[in-house]
Amino acid sequence: MINHRALLIAAAASWTAGCTDNELHKLDGGGLDQPSIVASPGHVDFGEVPFSEVRTESVTLTNEGSQALILRDIQVEGPVSFTLTWPSPVERLGPGEETDLLVSYAPQSASEDGRILVSSNDPVTPDLPVPLSGSAAYGALSISPDPVSFGGVE
C-alpha cells in the first residue's frame, strides 16, 4: 500500500532543494488559513558602490496566506550605511496584497553587512530577516603617458 504522506514529504523535500528560507515556509503551513509573509528579493546585494554615491533597491513584502498579515515592526539592523524608507506604510496586508520598502546603501567602509528585520503575525516566520550586503568601490589612479619621461634631470 502506498504511504501518501511519506510520498508527499519526499516530493516536498526534493522540490524545496535549493529554495531560500523565505520560500521554504510556503510548504510548511503557510497559506493554510493563516498569514504568510514573503520578501522579494530575499537578499539585497548592493555590489560595489563608490564612496560618494548612494544606491537604492526595492524590497516587496507580500502576504501569500489566506488571512490578514499584521506588520508589527520593520527595522534595519547593522551599520548606518543602510537606511530604510517605507513610502506607503501599512499595518495590515490582506491575502495577496503587498507593500514596497526602499533600502539605501551609502558605503562607510570596505565591506558591510546588515539586515532588514520584519516582525509580523506570520506564525511560521514571525521575524523575517532580509540580509543586506554592500562594499565600497575605490577609485583607481592612472598616469598618462606611462611611463613618464622627465628627460635629463640635473
Side-chain angles (χ1 to χ4, degrees), residues 68-141:
L69 178 73
I70 307 301
L71 299 171
R72 295 185 174 130
D73 190 33
I74 300 176
Q75 57 185 304
V76 173
E77 297 178 344
V80 297
S81 304
F82 299 107
T83 57
L84 181 69
T85 306
W86 195 3
S88 302
V90 295
E91 290 182 11
R92 179 186 180 279
L93 292 176
E97 292 183 338
E98 59 187 39
T99 188
D100 291 320
L101 308 174
L102 298 176
V103 60
S104 298
Y105 174 61
Q108 303 291 313
S109 62
S111 179
E112 297 171 292
D113 295 303
R115 70 181 185 167
I116 300 171
L117 188 62
V118 183
S119 298
S120 73
N121 68 329
D122 181 327
V124 177
T125 313
D127 295 310
L128 176 69
V130 179
L132 307 171
S133 59
S135 59
Y138 295 95
L141 177 64

Side-chain angles (χ1 to χ4, degrees), residues 48-55 105-108:
E48 290 189 348
V49 179
F51 272 113
S52 60
E53 293 183 17
V54 175
R55 186 168 296 159
Y105 174 61
Q108 303 291 313

Side-chain angles (χ1 to χ4, degrees), residues 18-56:
C19 288
T20 66
D21 288 342
N22 295 343
E23 295 168 338
L24 183 59
H25 84 272
K26 294 178 200 173
L27 292 177
D28 60 11
L32 300 177
D33 201 29
Q34 60 190 24
S36 178
I37 190 170
V38 175
S40 180
H43 172 251
V44 180
D45 183 357
F46 290 93
E48 290 189 348
V49 179
F51 272 113
S52 60
E53 293 183 17
V54 175
R55 186 168 296 159
T56 301

